């Protein structure tokens, strides 16, 4: 074997090696333009989300460098932009608020520890290929949780927009505290915040069409529109300095340290780790679900795909990188990833260029942020998170599934009234409880033959032919411990009400699995039917299910037979029905 072959054999199969080999000048141009746009967007977002998490604004910049670099090496999405996001920042503040006072070095140290634990969990889940665990978070629950978090985040920023002091971690606490402070509203601060909010909303929807009407091409117009938050920061910062708004009571960001992200270590306190395990797990799962959802959506548009388990590894590495460079928990952001996609990013190298841009901003631009009003950053957060609120999910779930509507409503209300962690746990619990309730009462249809065909359909929905001596039942669920008793009851009722019954045929076309409890139920059904002079038959049993049944005594003790199709069963047991 040649040395190069040996090297390739031992070389890790990293995603960066797949897209790196085909990198060219055109790809570089697309990644460079996208990185410029995302950097402009990410700088104000990073500052704002760090303050939302209760951390100094520069921490947001620190959390946007190493994670981007590490995701470029390990991530499978070509356009996902990793960094601080609103929901994870809120969950971070809720998780560490009880361990330290916001804004203190101790608080920052706990945030670093939380990122470290989250990174370890994500990395372990990826190596163990546990990406499927995210499936327990249904879309309605995630939608309700993110919508409630958006409302909660917006409410938490009202105190900064109003220039008052308000406390509370729930929507009710915040509302009551803000109401009591209405008489203390700082007029100039409120004006800055309100005008900035209005401007940013207009920039999102109105600036690009206006520029195009003025003759600008779509691509440059889109780039200019994305600079709206930067323009708001620049203008309000200059006005604060020029008009001495600080002296009139407007709160500013103040001195932002200048320099590269520092090397930091988590706190090696096992007691603290135990208290942070559950919050770290919730942050990890929510971040992973949000990241994978965005990544899969954008990858599908280019006929690409991502690997969920590898994404766990990439996000784990990104959070570990954040922990060792003074950051806090991060994940793939929806807004910046969409912007990255629309701007023409072709590979994760766009993230590398974005990290370089953030580094330059940390080195040279932070002194210019001294006079930045905190109300401007609050306005940036409010505009960003209100786009997360999905009101339509309530109408859709109410019309389609009352159970999903109940899960959405429960998640939203508990998140608003009790906090983000309990809200997410309750949402998952309600979803699982509703699933167990629904599957414990499976749809069991009596089927008959559609005349002139070999198809069998529900006797309540179609004009079909049946025999009084044969009962055909189709169970539309897998059989497991929670619903096996329902099948027993249905068959017992049929035997008691049909004196002429001689055969029961279970059509198993919808049964994907039979657990041990359900197997015992089938054995009990077979025994009772035999004592009553009735034979139990099976039809259309799927291969994997049959493989497991062959390892049991059920098929040996079965009173009847196993038929390949339901039509064959009826042809043998009730020929007058099969040929009617």
């Amino acid at each position: 074997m040649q040395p190069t072959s040996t090297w390739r054999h031992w070389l890790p199969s990293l995603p960066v090696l797949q897209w790196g080999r085909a990198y060219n000048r055109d790809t570089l141009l697309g990644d460079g333009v996208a990185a410029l746009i995302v950097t402009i967007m990410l700088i104000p977002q990073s500052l704002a989300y760090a303050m939302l998490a209760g951390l100094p604004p520069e921490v947001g910049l620190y959390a946007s460098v190493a994670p981007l670099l590490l995701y470029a090496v390990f991530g499978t999405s070509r356009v996902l932009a990793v960094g601080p996001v609103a929901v994870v920042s809120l969950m971070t503040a809720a998780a560490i608020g009880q361990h330290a006072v916001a804004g203190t070095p101790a608080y920052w140290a706990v945030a670093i520890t939380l990122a470290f634990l989250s990174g370890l969990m994500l990395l372990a889940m990826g190596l163990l290929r546990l990406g499927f665990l995210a499936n327990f978070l249904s879309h309605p629950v995630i939608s309700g949780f993110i919508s409630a978090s958006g409302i909660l985040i917006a409410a938490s920023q009202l105190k900064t927009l109003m220039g008052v002091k308000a406390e509370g971690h729930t929507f009710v606490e915040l509302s009551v505290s803000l109401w009591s402070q209405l008489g203390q509203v700082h007029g100039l601060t409120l004006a800055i915040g309100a005008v900035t909010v209005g401007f940013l909303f207009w920039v999102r929807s109105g600036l690009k069409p206006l520029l195009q009407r003025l003759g600008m091409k779509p691509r440059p117009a889109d780039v200019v529109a994305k600079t709206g938050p930067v323009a708001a920061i620049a203008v309000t910062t200059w006005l604060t300095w020029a008009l001495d708004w600080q002296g009139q009571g407007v709160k500013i960001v103040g001195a932002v340290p200048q320099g590269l992200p520092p090397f930091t270590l988590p706190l090696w306190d096992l007691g603290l780790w135990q208290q942070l395990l559950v919050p770290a797990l919730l942050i990890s799962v929510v971040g992973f679900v949000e990241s994978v959802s965005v990544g899969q959506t954008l990858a599908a548009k280019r006929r690409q795909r991502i690997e969920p388990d590898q994404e766990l590894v990439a996000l784990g590495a990104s959070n570990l990188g954040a922990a060792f460079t003074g950051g806090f928990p991060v994940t793939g952001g929806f807004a910046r990833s969409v912007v990255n996609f629309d701007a023409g990013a072709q590979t994760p190298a766009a993230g590398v260029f974005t990290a370089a841009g953030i580094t330059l901003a940390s080195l040279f631009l932070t002194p210019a942020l001294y006079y930045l009003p905190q109300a401007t950053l609050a306005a940036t957060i409010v505009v960003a998170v209100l786009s997360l609120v999905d009101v339509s999910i309530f109408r859709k779930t109410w019309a389609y599934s009352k159970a999903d509507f109940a899960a959405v409503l429960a998640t939203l209300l508990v998140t608003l009234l009790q906090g983000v962690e309990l809200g997410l746990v309750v949402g998952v619990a309600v979803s699982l409880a509703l699933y167990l309730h629904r599957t414990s009462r499976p749809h069991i249809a009596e089927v008959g033959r559609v005349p002139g065909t070999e198809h069998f359909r529900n006797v309540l929905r179609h004009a079909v032919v049946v025999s009084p001596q044969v009962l055909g039942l189709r169970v539309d669920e897998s059989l497991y411990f929670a619903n096996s008793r329902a099948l027993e009851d249905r068959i017992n009722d049929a035997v008691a009400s049909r004196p002429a019954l001689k055969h029961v045929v279970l059509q198993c076309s919808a049964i994907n699995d039979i657990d041990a409890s359900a197997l015992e139920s089938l054995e009990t059904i077979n025994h009772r039917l035999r004592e009553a002079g009735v034979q139990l038959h099976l039809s259309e049993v799927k291969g994997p299910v049959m493989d497991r049944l062959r390892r049991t005594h059920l098929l040996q003790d079965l009173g009847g037979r196993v038929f390949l199709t339901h039509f064959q069963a009826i042809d043998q047991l009730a020929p007058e029905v099969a040929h009617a």
Side-chain angles (χ1 to χ4, degrees), residues 140-141 143-149 151-152 169-173 394 405-427 430:
V141 168
S143 182
F145 173 74
I146 291 179
S147 295
S149 298
I151 296 172
L152 198 57
H169 296 286
T170 68
F171 185 77
V172 173
E173 293 173 351
F394 295 97
F405 174 81
V408 174
L409 186 62
T411 305
L412 181 103
L413 292 178
V414 176
T415 301
L416 289 177
L417 301 178
Q418 297 296 328
V420 288
E421 293 179 1
L422 186 59
L424 184 61
V425 171
V426 168
V430 169

Side-chain angles (χ1 to χ4, degrees), residues 87-345:
V87 175
V88 171
S89 297
L90 177 65
M91 296 180 72
T92 298
I96 62 181
Q98 55 187 333
H99 299 289
V101 178
T104 63
Y107 188 95
W108 188 8
V110 178
I112 291 170
T113 306
L114 185 63
F116 178 75
L117 293 177
S118 178
L120 287 181
M121 289 181 178
L122 288 165
L123 188 60
M125 291 169 65
L127 296 176
L128 296 174
R129 308 187 69 83
L130 298 181
F132 69 91
L133 293 177
N135 297 334
F136 288 101
L137 287 176
S138 66
H139 174 71
V141 168
I142 287 295
S143 182
F145 173 74
I146 291 179
S147 295
S149 298
I151 296 172
L152 198 57
I153 292 169
S156 70
Q157 296 306 301
L158 290 178
K159 60 183 180 183
T160 306
L161 292 175
M162 297 164 60
V164 299
K165 293 182 179 180
E167 302 296 334
H169 296 286
T170 68
F171 185 77
V172 173
E173 293 173 351
L174 286 169
S175 299
V176 172
S177 183
L178 288 170
W179 181 263
S180 66
Q181 296 291 319
L182 285 180
Q184 308 298 323
V185 172
H186 189 261
L188 181 56
T189 299
L190 180 61
I192 295 172
V195 171
T196 304
V197 168
F199 171 75
L200 292 177
F201 272 120
W202 174 77
V203 164
R204 284 197 164 202
S205 59
L207 181 57
K208 182 178 178 180
L210 175 61
L211 294 175
Q212 288 181 288
R213 287 195 298 269
L214 295 176
M216 187 176 290
K217 294 183 179 180
R219 187 72 175 272
D222 186 64
V223 173
V224 174
K226 295 295 189 302
T227 62
V230 177
I233 287 177
V235 171
T236 55
T237 300
W238 180 80
L239 289 174
T240 303
W241 169 77
L243 302 178
D244 191 27
W245 282 349
Q246 179 190 7
Q248 301 176 44
V250 174
K251 294 182 179 180
I252 61 174
V253 170
V256 178
Q258 191 175 7
L260 295 172
F263 176 74
T264 55
L265 291 173
L267 298 175
W268 305 105
D269 184 346
L270 293 181
L272 177 64
W273 283 26
Q274 291 177 353
Q275 295 177 341
L276 292 178
L277 282 180
V278 173
L281 178 62
L282 294 177
I283 288 173
S284 300
V285 173
V286 169
F288 171 63
V289 170
E290 180 178 355
S291 180
V292 168
S293 299
V294 177
Q296 288 178 336
T297 300
L298 298 178
K301 293 183 178 182
R302 293 182 179 174
R303 297 189 178 185
Q304 298 170 349
R305 61 189 301 269
I306 66 172
E307 296 289 343
D309 292 321
Q310 182 63 34
E311 287 297 291
L312 282 169
V313 173
L315 292 175
S318 298
N319 277 278
L320 290 176
F324 290 113
T325 55
F328 61 105
V330 297
T331 191
F334 176 78
R336 69 176 69 103
S337 297
V338 171
V339 170
N340 200 31
F341 177 89
D342 291 339

Side-chain angles (χ1 to χ4, degrees), residues 514 519 538 541 545-552 554-555:
I514 299 175
L519 176 64
L538 305 178
V541 182
V545 177
M546 181 61 76
D547 291 340
R548 297 182 64 182
L549 291 180
R550 288 196 180 102
R551 298 197 295 266
T552 70
L554 176 64
L555 299 183

